[in-house]
Amino acid sequence: MSIPPVDAELALAEIQSRRAQVVDTNLVPRWFWFSIAALMVAFVAAVESGVTWVVATGTIVYVLGLSALIIAMVRRGQVQVRPELIGVRGGVSIAAFTLALTAIGIGLGFALDALGVPFPATLGCVPVALGLAFGGPALMSHLRRIMLARPLAGN
């Protein structure tokens, strides 16, 4: 019994559509990146203030905010790293993104500190936060393209 070409095409289209759904549900949403960025800058600014009550309040806000974000992601229940979908290219992309933002933040913070600029860690954190807020969704788009380009049957 042979399958008519049109039925095979429809079945393949359905498989690709389902895969796109799986990929989309495994991406970190845009709101998460902006929220993490805002929490990070607020926490660093609070710590760098050196004022005890500001540090304590900033720490509490950060811990509660981060906990709420993690709970929201867990309740969403679908975001998880799937090595078979992301592949080596995806892993390298994530590592490069992380290393670049870390280098920018640390490098800028130390440079500003050496120049005697007030609040160097907070100012060094701002481009990192912007990188997270805008680069995170861009990274997710890149990872989506990588995952959708992988063969349907695996390697």
Side-chain angles (χ1 to χ4, degrees):
M1 177 177 187
S2 73
I3 299 173
V6 69
D7 288 345
E9 287 178 32
L10 288 172
L12 185 57
E14 178 66 20
I15 291 168
Q16 289 171 334
S17 173
R18 298 286 177 144
R19 178 171 72 167
Q21 286 177 330
V22 169
V23 166
D24 289 343
T25 60
N26 278 284
L27 298 175
V28 177
R30 183 176 295 274
W31 58 262
F32 183 83
W33 296 101
F34 281 89
S35 301
I36 288 291
L39 279 172
M40 182 177 66
V41 171
F43 176 67
V44 171
V47 170
E48 197 167 37
S49 75
V51 179
T52 305
W53 72 268
V54 174
V55 173
T57 302
T59 301
I60 291 168
V61 167
Y62 181 77
V63 168
L64 293 176
L66 186 58
S67 297
L69 288 173
I70 291 169
I71 289 168
M73 293 300 289
V74 168
R75 283 204 175 144
R76 191 168 181 257
Q78 298 166 344
V79 175
Q80 56 184 295
V81 176
R82 294 188 181 205
E84 66 274 8
L85 281 176
I86 222 163
V88 173
R89 280 184 50 215
V92 169
S93 297
I94 293 168
F97 179 74
T98 304
L99 291 172
L101 289 180
T102 302
I104 289 167
I106 291 173
L108 183 57
F110 280 134
L112 292 172
D113 187 47
L115 294 171
V117 175
F119 300 102
T122 302
L123 293 174
C125 188
V126 169
V128 175
L130 291 171
L132 282 172
F134 297 103
L139 175 65
M140 293 298 100
S141 293
H142 175 70
L143 293 175
R144 183 179 192 279
R145 284 190 302 277
I146 288 172
M147 290 186 278
L148 290 177
R150 294 184 59 82
L152 285 174
N155 291 336

